[in-house]
C-alpha cells in the first residue's frame, strides 16, 4: 500500500502555471493537437460490460482543449464538394 496515492488526501492537486506569460511553439501545438485527437479516439474513463465510454467531465476537458487549439493552429479549410 506504500505505492498508492490517494488524491482525496492531497491538499493541492491543481496544476499551476510556472510563469504569468507562457509561449508554445508551433510544433508543440501540433503535438498537443495529436494528443487530444488520440485521447478523443482511444481513451475512456468509464467502464461498461463490454466497452468504455467518456464521462461528461472528460468530454468537457476535450472540448476545452479543442477550443484552445483552435486559437493556436490554423486548420486547413476542407472543401466538401
Amino acid at each position: 500500500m506504500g505505492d498508492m496515492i490517494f488524491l482525496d488526501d492531497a491538499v493541492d492537486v491543481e496544476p499551476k502555471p510556472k510563469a504569468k506569460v507562457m509561449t508554445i511553439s508551433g510544433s508543440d501545438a501540433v503535438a498537443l493537437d495529436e494528443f487530444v485527437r488520440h485521447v478523443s479516439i482511444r481513451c475512456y474513463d468509464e467502464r461498461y460490460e463490454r466497452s468504455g465510454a467518456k464521462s461528461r467531465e472528460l468530454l468537457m476537458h476535450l472540448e476545452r482543449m479543442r477550443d484552445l487549439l483552435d486559437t493556436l493552429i490554423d486548420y486547413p479549410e476542407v472543401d466538401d464538394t
Side-chain angles (χ1 to χ4, degrees):
M1 282 269 257
D3 293 339
M4 297 180 79
I5 298 171
F6 297 96
L7 294 178
D8 294 341
D9 298 335
V11 176
D12 191 14
V13 295
E14 292 295 322
K16 292 185 175 121
K18 292 183 178 183
K20 290 185 183 215
V21 176
M22 299 179 144
T23 59
I24 183 169
S25 70
S27 61
D28 290 342
V30 170
L32 182 57
D33 181 62
E34 290 171 358
F35 179 74
V36 169
R37 287 174 193 251
H38 175 80
V39 170
S40 296
I41 295 168
R42 304 230 179 240
C43 298
Y44 306 96
D45 62 342
E46 291 187 351
R47 193 171 182 171
Y48 291 101
E49 244 181 72
R50 295 181 179 230
S51 66
K54 291 176 179 53
S55 67
R56 183 173 183 269
E57 290 83 11
L58 180 56
L59 290 171
M60 288 174 33
H61 283 297
L62 287 170
E63 185 62 31
R64 182 172 179 232
M65 294 307 298
R66 285 187 200 106
D67 289 345
L68 191 150
L69 286 166
D70 282 342
T71 67
L72 297 175
I73 298 176
D74 187 16
Y75 294 100
E77 296 289 323
V78 178
D79 191 12
D80 291 334
T81 59

